[in-house]
Amino acid sequence: MTALTLSTSAAPGLRADAIVIGVAKGTGSKSGGLLVAPGAEAVNEAYDGKLADVLETLGASGAEGELTKLPSPAGFKSPLVIAVGLGAAPGKDAEYTAEALRRAAGVAARALNGAKKAAFALPVEDAAAVGAIGEGVLLGAYSFDTYKENGRQAAGAAKAKNGKAPLAEAALLGGKPRDAAHKAAVARATAVSEELNRARDLINTPPNDLTPAAFAAIVQGAGKEHGFKVQVLDDKALAKDGYGGILGVGGGSAATPRLVKLSYTHPGAEKHLAYVGKGITYDSGGISLKPAGHNETMKCDMSGAAAVFAAVVSAARLGLQVNVTGWLALAENMPSGSAVRPGDVLRMYSGKTVEVLNTDAEGRLVLADALWAASAEQPDAIVDVATLTGAMMLALGSRTFGVMANDDAFRSTVHEAAEEVGEPAWPMPLPEHLRKGMESSTADIANMGERMGGGLVAGLFLREFVGEGITWAHLDIAGPAFNEGGPFGYTPKGGTGSAVRTLVRLAELTAEGDLG
């Protein structure tokens, strides 16, 4: 990954491949609207204070994500200036938001593939800004080329699609190398971004390589590296303990299912969070086979488990004063003679029976078992994460995840945490009248209900498997988990690592005693 350094050097004398500055849309500038953002004063001065005019001549407007390149002025040791748009300039006495900085840094980092070093002269008001720029750089520089020829030749080194390695080093100008808060911000950005990028790698890995057993082995390796406990239940252990949901979903595949428990503990912790992730390593739909055109990206159906894995490792690396348990419900949903059929009844780990009306509503089945297992430990709160329903994509689009909960205050806390870290989310209800649609004449409950409001129906189903009195939230990340379009901001094409930063922030809030 790109190395982050803090630097108090002036831009003109810094040896680098490029200097990144910020520009914004404004109405108070002499240039007619384009504003040069703080941090770029030395660069602007070298252009006789007319940098905005030069950039406007080149077509720059300051729009978010816009990137303009121009030669550095005489005397600079860097040959190139990259101006990246920050969007609308903040009002008087206001600062650029962390998300604006994060996105701008991500755009620039992606454009710097192949560079050895770049200086980021973006606005740095405080340690939070340092952390946001660092995150943007590390997430924006990400690429996944393990299966491309140039990636193989690199023997494991990350390579970009054009054959160039990601930016090697980013110097954050305005950052103070001896400032404890600034150093901590860089350390946090590095830990969280590295784990989020690992989640992206897992999501992007083809399902013939990422089976439930292979995923479990990766988690075990991380546990040894970062000092948290890992317990793996294979198909035999799942059968012995009665995990009917996970076994039912995974029964049609030669790749047998797993339930993986990750346990990070802190000696001073007073609270315990449980995170539960849907880990369908490939989802064909089972006997209720998905139609043509809906199978190609189903390697991403384990994005919830990847997010939980990354969040637990991040908590361990940051040493957060909170106990965090992760539960990864891993299975491959395939059609075969041993696959669960529409009309079958499964006895879940909780003892409750479920009539399977649609085998493509499998995520809620594996989550139900894991939620009940998590509830047995009586954590202070449970959050599950899943690429659960197409209905949530229809409701919220491809960049926003839904948040449901059995407690309004906790739902608000989760929503606010997501927005704080730059992950668009929206609170969704759990209407009681939709529960009736899941009534079954054969079993305690059916795994399908009304078609309209299907994302909410899925949330109501999951709620049935949360222990009594336990605070719970459900994140349906079906939209933002996998980006099928072009990259934007610090978000790449493919796996995104959606919800990782929200889960980490919730763990931080809990450690700080601020969990709602």
Side-chain angles (χ1 to χ4, degrees), residues 155-456:
K159 301 284 278 186
K161 290 181 179 179
N162 58 7
K164 298 178 181 178
L167 172 65
E169 180 185 349
L172 309 186
L173 303 190
K176 302 172 183 176
R178 297 184 179 180
D179 186 285
H182 285 206
K183 290 193 292 184
V186 167
R188 181 190 185 279
T190 300
V192 175
S193 298
E194 284 182 353
E195 296 312 321
L196 192 152
N197 283 339
R198 176 166 27 194
R200 289 172 169 178
D201 283 347
L202 289 168
I203 297 164
N204 290 325
T205 298
N208 57 318
D209 281 348
L210 191 72
T211 61
F215 197 154
I218 291 169
V219 176
Q220 288 175 313
K224 292 178 181 177
E225 181 182 359
H226 297 292
F228 58 85
K229 295 180 180 179
V230 178
Q231 179 185 4
V232 179
L233 298 183
D234 62 11
D235 53 324
K236 293 180 181 179
L238 291 169
K240 179 181 178 182
D241 293 342
Y243 286 90
I246 298 175
L247 286 169
V249 173
S253 174
T256 54
R258 300 287 188 275
L259 178 62
V260 182
K261 178 184 177 183
L262 304 74
S263 303
Y264 162 70
T265 58
H266 189 286
E270 296 181 355
K271 296 287 186 179
H272 175 199
L273 289 179
Y275 293 154
V276 177
K278 174 187 173 184
I280 304 299
T281 56
Y282 181 74
D283 182 18
S284 69
I287 298 296
S288 306
L289 194 67
K290 290 180 182 293
H294 290 75
N295 287 286
E296 291 77 5
T297 61
M298 282 299 101
K299 64 182 181 181
C300 80
D301 214 20
M302 36 59 66
S303 296
V308 168
F309 173 38
V312 175
V313 180
S314 295
R317 291 182 61 173
L318 296 173
L320 300 183
Q321 192 169 321
V322 57
N323 294 335
V324 184
T325 305
W327 298 84
L328 314 185
L330 308 179
E332 187 176 67
N333 186 24
M334 295 290 285
S336 76
S338 59
V340 66
R341 296 155 293 218
D344 281 355
V345 173
L346 302 177
R347 185 171 298 278
M348 311 299 281
Y349 181 55
S350 68
K352 188 171 293 188
T353 55
V354 176
E355 182 181 11
V356 179
L357 300 180
N358 187 326
T359 66
D360 196 25
E362 86 298 331
R364 63 199 70 182
L365 298 176
V366 299
L367 286 173
D369 274 356
L371 283 168
W372 192 256
S375 296
E377 297 189 342
Q378 291 293 310
D380 293 283
I382 298 175
V383 181
D384 76 70
V385 188
T387 47
L388 206 59
T389 65
M392 196 56 56
M393 297 177 68
L394 291 173
L396 299 178
S398 62
R399 297 191 184 184
T400 304
F401 63 74
V403 182
M404 287 156 262
N406 61 3
D407 179 273
D408 289 345
F410 188 57
R411 183 183 60 188
S412 295
T413 297
V414 175
H415 176 224
E416 290 165 6
E419 294 291 336
E420 181 183 349
V421 298
E423 295 193 312
W426 195 251
M428 302 292 284
L430 289 173
E432 293 297 334
H433 70 274
L434 291 177
R435 171 62 179 83
K436 185 175 177 61
M438 289 184 284
E439 291 182 358
S440 168
S441 59
T442 306
D444 294 321
I445 190 172
N447 77 328
M448 293 291 289
E450 293 184 29
R451 179 170 176 268
M452 299 301 175
L456 311 183

